[in-house]
Amino acid sequence: MDLKDLYRDVILDHNRQPRNFGALTDADAHADGHNPLCGDRLTVWVQLQGERISEVRFEGKGCAISTASASLMTEAVKGKDTATVRRLYEQVHTLLTHPNSAPDASLGKLAALAGVSEFPARVKCATLCWHTLNAALERSADAVTTE
Ligand code: ZN
């Protein structure tokens, strides 16, 4: 099995059985995301302990790439602090927009998104969950400062 098959299998698996799927009832913040180019919609919920994401869940309807990307993202960011999450997103974005970039080992299963770079029209499907997560994190910061 070559790397491309492995990546495709990871995407298909996370689309069929998305991890951390379903509303988080005691979330500190949430945000809705919409990718009009494809019709993907999702909601991301976060629970925070200081700067650390202690819990993250998502729900939505979209194409296989948007669902798999959100599922992989929730697994990758859970337990991480927000600065690490920002760095992770920058690495994912580079992977998605540079077809010949080799995934960094620190990306773990997120490396499966490398195949998306061959389909520029689908990059927004894969980044939607990250933009939505960022929106939720910004909202939680607002909530803290206005208290
Ligand atoms: Zn899509």
Side-chain angles (χ1 to χ4, degrees), residues 35 38 40 63 66 122 125:
N35 170 22
C38 178
D40 312 313
C63 65
S66 72
R122 312 306 296 276
C125 301

Side-chain angles (χ1 to χ4, degrees), residues 78-142:
K78 199 188 281 192
K80 303 266 178 21
D81 63 56
T82 50
T84 305
V85 169
R86 261 195 302 276
R87 275 200 302 278
L88 210 49
Y89 172 63
E90 279 164 25
Q91 285 179 288
V92 169
H93 192 260
T94 302
L95 189 67
L96 289 169
T97 50
H98 296 76
N100 296 315
S101 68
D104 192 276
S106 64
L107 278 172
K109 272 197 232 163
L110 288 168
L113 295 169
V116 178
S117 64
E118 289 172 43
F119 310 97
R122 312 306 296 276
V123 169
K124 285 197 160 64
C125 301
T127 55
L128 175 65
C129 58
W130 290 91
H131 292 307
T132 311
L133 172 67
N134 282 338
L137 291 174
E138 275 166 26
R139 228 161 266 179
S140 75
D142 289 346

Side-chain angles (χ1 to χ4, degrees), residues 1-11 95 101-104 108-109 111-115 118:
M1 183 191 272
D2 73 17
L3 203 53
K4 264 189 188 165
D5 292 336
L6 181 68
Y7 286 166
R8 196 196 52 218
D9 285 354
V10 171
I11 298 287
L95 189 67
S101 68
D104 192 276
K109 272 197 232 163
L113 295 169
E118 289 172 43

